[in-house]
Amino acid sequence: MPGRLSTLLRFSLSAVCAVPLLAQTAVSQETETPSATLKINVRTVLVDVVVTDKNNKAVPGLHKEDFQVIEDGKPQEITFFEPNFAATTDQENAAPIRNLPPNTFSNVPPVAPNNAINLLLMDGLNTPLSDQAEVHKQMVRYLTTLPPNIRMGVFLLSERLRIIQGFTQDSSLLRASIARLAANPNTSALLPTAASTAAMDAPVNIILQKSLESGSTQLANEAAALQQFEDQQSYFEVNERTIMTLDALQQIARYLAGVPGRKNLLWFVGSIPQCLAAMTSESELTSGGCPYEEKYAKTMDMLADARVSLYPIDAGGVRPDSLYDSDSPPASASIGASGNSATPPNTPTAPDLSPVQALNVSQSNSIQNDYQQRALAHMQMDKLAMATGGKAIYERNALKEAIAQDVENGSHYYTIAYTPSNHNEVGRERKIEIRSTSGGCNLAYRRSYFEDNPKQLRVAEKPSSGDPLRPLMDRGMPSFTELRYRMRVAPATPQPGPDAPHAGDNAELFGPYTRYTVNFSLSTEGLTLVQGPDGIRRGTIEVALVAYSQEGKPLDWEVRSIGLAIRPEQNAVAESSGIPFHFDIDAPPGDVYLRTGIYDSSSSRVGTLEVPLSAVTVAQR
């Protein structure tokens, strides 16, 4: 976080045991007197606001006085305001452009990153293969022109959430990750296709046709019973996709909660489970909608709290009606159908209609059904985007241009904080409204938050005993550069023998594996080193190394505390070349990623860096 908010974050880390300042923070303040202890819970609500003009361009130059904040209909006082419009040429945190020696890596990029980070969520669970292929093509085109200051990662949602490419500013790595997805397309077993729907509907249609021809009530009842069974199967699949989708979004919210700044989640999806907007209860599966109202509300709140803004993107672009889709069965082949049906299942074709009239009715029903499905899907996308301060993109074939504009806008925003005038905390939802006094602007921001209930407040009052470095060490996390360092990674020479002690803390890691020596050079900038009477500057840092599989499974790890002591005669070398230290760690063969992190407890500053071990050149082995 830049500027004053960065200072607030550091204060928060120091004051409350390194718990990051998130979108809403409850701070417990205690004032002691000889006779009593006064305890006040103060909540700060943090809201990121994207302001665009009538041409969908970000509006810079606004001030605190240009905004009004209203919560549950009551005006609120803005206690913090910060514009995030860092110029692309800003080199405040940039390293000099230079070629590093082989196998040497730095956590400081040559171009200072934008304040926001972007996540491309490629949805194979809810998206047909044909739409996935088109998205892959458009994303490769977009990433070719990716500005150098944009941080982006690629995730895949299929049977589970997977990291395809961690957050990086390297567009070549991002394009390679999309190419891997294109080479290994994901087929969802829970997403019906036109062919599978037609195959399921065929038996119902045949029985229904015979009942119409013979006038048999028994055959009509059999058709209705079979249709009901197929509907239940369809509802089951939709509910499964809903659960998996909401769980994945919650996982993303938890993953990004510790990352400062705004996060733009660009979600390429072909068919959002329609029950997201039609919830009932969590008691049982019903045909009236999906039973996850509480889960949906919790998911939206978790995303908003983590400052994640959803950008649902219709992966299908501008689709033709299924009537004119070559992959769909002809309308005349469906009399009663479920799912993407041409004729509703409980509307048998009237026997007195001519074949031409029946075909016209079937075609009309098909077009109307497609229109209703699209309208409902777009309404859901708009609802998801509005709840989290993002924007829905649909009816667009030129995804590259639309995404470029929204990434640009989502990287330029205003951060507003306020302390609610209503201090009661009982777990209710509170509505947020933000207005621009300048007029003529469109504002995108989170629309609500949930109070903490009494149980959550009691938990928040307990001191945190967690490791402040741990949340930033997950596979694929962005690099943090408050502490700057270089490291050289190469296989140890000689490699250890079979009886040598294991280098790492995973006692369950067995051979074969390669031992890597990691030589660090830590910059003194940002470190807190206290000079003693003897002239020696001392400090303590925590260093962590984790070897991950491509899927994010920890394979081996080390976490150590290091005491630093720099004698007066070493100051010049430490200032110019950094403080050296090294670790050995074992890693098995395969697609392995080494993530490293350094934390200074005195200043609450952090530095992290992740590199693929495949980037270690063969010549050095």
Side-chain angles (χ1 to χ4, degrees):
M1 283 185 186
R4 192 174 152 206
L5 191 56
S6 178
T7 304
L8 287 180
L9 174 61
R10 291 199 188 102
F11 175 79
S12 171
L13 286 168
S14 302
V16 291
C17 302
V19 177
L21 176 66
L22 304 181
Q24 56 187 49
T25 305
V27 180
S28 178
Q29 300 178 345
E30 295 187 3
T31 302
E32 294 189 5
T33 65
S35 58
T37 298
L38 175 64
K39 184 175 296 184
I40 304 174
N41 288 304
V42 179
R43 173 188 292 275
T44 298
V45 179
L46 200 63
V47 186
D48 294 325
V49 185
V50 174
V51 184
T52 54
D53 59 22
K54 62 181 181 180
N55 297 317
N56 195 31
K57 300 290 185 180
V59 178
L62 299 181
H63 302 87
K64 173 182 175 180
E65 295 73 24
D66 296 318
F67 294 91
Q68 294 178 343
V69 178
I70 300 172
E71 181 181 285
D72 287 344
K74 298 181 179 180
Q76 306 293 317
E77 180 184 356
I78 297 176
T79 57
F80 175 80
F81 177 83
E82 182 178 61
N84 294 274
F85 283 76
T88 57
T89 57
D90 180 18
Q91 294 296 310
E92 179 183 353
N93 292 319
I97 299 177
R98 63 181 184 273
N99 294 324
L100 295 174
N103 294 345
T104 303
F105 311 91
S106 171
N107 72 330
V108 184
V111 177
N114 198 288
N115 295 331
I117 66 172
N118 304 275
L119 190 156
L120 302 181
L121 178 58
M122 317 302 286
D123 191 333
L125 177 67
N126 303 296
T127 307
L129 276 176
S130 58
D131 292 344
Q132 293 182 49
E134 182 59 29
V135 167
H136 295 159
K137 292 178 183 178
Q138 299 229 25
M139 283 305 92
V140 169
R141 297 192 195 107
Y142 165 66
L143 293 172
T144 302
T145 59
L146 185 71
N149 66 321
I150 297 296
R151 291 178 292 180
M152 189 168 287
V154 182
F155 284 31
L156 172 65
L157 172 58
S158 52
E159 73 282 356
R160 58 185 175 85
L161 186 66
R162 290 185 287 170
I163 300 172
I164 303 302
Q165 172 59 54
F167 291 98
T168 179
Q169 294 171 241
D170 190 334
S171 62
S172 63
L173 292 177
L174 294 166
R175 292 197 302 272
S177 68
I178 300 296
R180 288 197 300 271
L181 285 178
N184 300 279
N186 183 84
T187 303
S188 174
L190 296 173
L191 185 66
T193 63
S196 66
T197 299
M200 288 183 62
D201 292 336
V204 178
N205 293 333
I206 292 173
I207 299 174
L208 186 57
Q209 180 65 50
K210 289 182 178 179
S211 71
L212 294 173
E213 293 173 352
S214 64
S216 171
T217 303
Q218 181 179 354
L219 288 176
N221 291 336
E222 290 179 2
L226 182 57
Q227 182 67 64
Q228 184 179 16
F229 172 78
E230 292 181 359
D231 287 344
Q232 290 176 342
Q233 178 66 23
S234 176
Y235 287 129
F236 172 79
E237 292 175 351
V238 171
N239 275 272
E240 285 296 298
R241 286 196 290 122
T242 302
I243 295 171
M244 295 169 70
T245 301
L246 292 176
D247 283 344
L249 293 176
Q250 289 189 13
Q251 187 176 350
I252 290 173
R254 285 190 292 266
Y255 179 81
L256 296 176
V259 180
R262 176 185 172 94
K263 303 92 177 178
N264 303 312
L265 174 53
L266 287 78
W267 179 16
F268 297 91
V269 58
S271 173
I272 295 178
Q274 293 187 3
C275 49
L276 284 180
M279 311 284 175
T280 53
S281 67
E282 293 197 12
S283 58
E284 61 182 9
L285 176 65
T286 69
S287 61
C290 291
Y292 308 110
E293 184 175 3
E294 289 186 17
K295 192 179 186 73
Y296 171 79
K298 178 182 178 181
T299 302
M300 294 301 102
D301 195 51
M302 288 177 63
L303 289 170
D305 282 352
R307 301 175 72 181
V308 178
S309 296
L310 269 180
Y311 287 76
I313 302 172
D314 188 350
V318 180
R319 292 186 180 90
D321 290 316
S322 58
L323 178 65
Y324 309 109
D325 189 348
S326 59
D327 294 331
S328 299
S332 58
S334 293
I335 298 175
S338 61
N340 297 321
S341 62
T343 305
N346 296 324
T347 309
T349 303
D352 56 342
L353 293 180
S354 68
V356 174
Q357 291 174 320
L359 179 60
N360 289 338
V361 170
S362 181
Q363 291 176 340
S364 176
N365 287 335
S366 173
I367 295 174
Q368 183 179 9
N369 182 67
D370 286 342
Y371 173 80
Q372 292 174 344
Q373 295 292 325
R374 284 196 300 269
L376 179 58
H378 296 163
M379 181 178 66
Q380 292 165 342
M381 294 172 70
D382 286 330
K383 180 180 179 181
L384 293 170
M386 180 175 289
T388 58
K391 178 184 176 183
I393 302 175
Y394 47 78
E395 299 291 356
R396 295 286 298 270
N397 282 333
L399 291 180
K400 171 180 174 290
E401 291 76 12
I403 293 168
Q405 184 64 62
D406 285 320
V407 168
E408 174 72 11
N409 291 341
S411 299
H412 298 87
Y413 59 96
Y414 298 91
T415 299
I416 294 174
Y418 69 94
T419 300
S421 56
N422 180 3
H423 295 166
N424 294 328
E425 296 279 355
V426 293
R428 295 174 301 184
E429 182 181 16
R430 296 195 189 182
K431 302 294 184 180
I432 300 174
E433 181 183 359
I434 298 180
R435 300 172 182 172
S436 172
T437 58
S438 58
C441 297
N442 298 314
L443 276 61
Y445 56 92
R446 63 181 301 189
R447 302 300 173 125
S448 66
Y449 72 92
F450 283 86
E451 304 168 343
D452 290 331
N453 58 41
K455 180 179 179 181
Q456 291 170 323
L457 288 174
R458 287 193 297 271
V459 172
E461 290 173 2
K462 296 180 179 179
S464 172
S465 59
D467 183 352
L469 185 57
R470 173 64 189 87
L472 309 182
M473 289 296 296
D474 284 336
R475 158 88 172 96
M477 274 278 182
S479 293
F480 293 86
T481 60
E482 288 184 314
L483 297 181
R484 306 179 183 187
Y485 61 91
R486 287 180 290 121
M487 63 182 189
R488 184 180 183 276
V489 184
T493 53
Q495 283 289 301
D499 298 328
H502 171 51
D505 295 338
N506 183 9
E508 298 181 359
L509 177 66
F510 300 100
Y513 52 75
T514 301
R515 178 159 299 175
Y516 291 87
T517 297
V518 184
N519 290 291
F520 289 88
S521 179
L522 173 62
S523 172
T524 56
E525 182 179 357
L527 279 177
T528 299
L529 299 172
V530 180
Q531 184 171 329
D534 54 3
I536 298 177
R537 295 194 297 163
R538 293 180 173 84
T540 303
I541 59 174
E542 179 183 316
V543 181
L545 297 86
V546 185
Y548 284 102
S549 68
Q550 199 279 333
E551 294 80 12
K553 177 183 177 181
L555 303 173
D556 201 5
W557 54 86
E558 291 184 66
V559 180
R560 300 288 186 271
S561 180
I562 298 179
L564 303 177
I566 303 177
R567 297 190 299 273
E569 64 271 19
Q570 297 174 320
N571 283 334
V573 175
E575 294 288 341
S576 61
S577 302
I579 302 172
F581 53 90
H582 83 275
F583 286 88
D584 287 341
I585 189 168
D586 295 333
D591 195 5
V592 178
Y593 296 78
L594 178 63
R595 186 165 185 85
T596 61
I598 302 176
Y599 173 69
D600 179 8
S601 58
S602 297
S603 65
S604 298
R605 292 186 173 94
V606 174
T608 62
L609 176 62
E610 180 177 310
V611 298
L613 291 181
S614 60
V616 175
T617 58
V618 177
Q620 296 294 321
R621 296 195 175 192

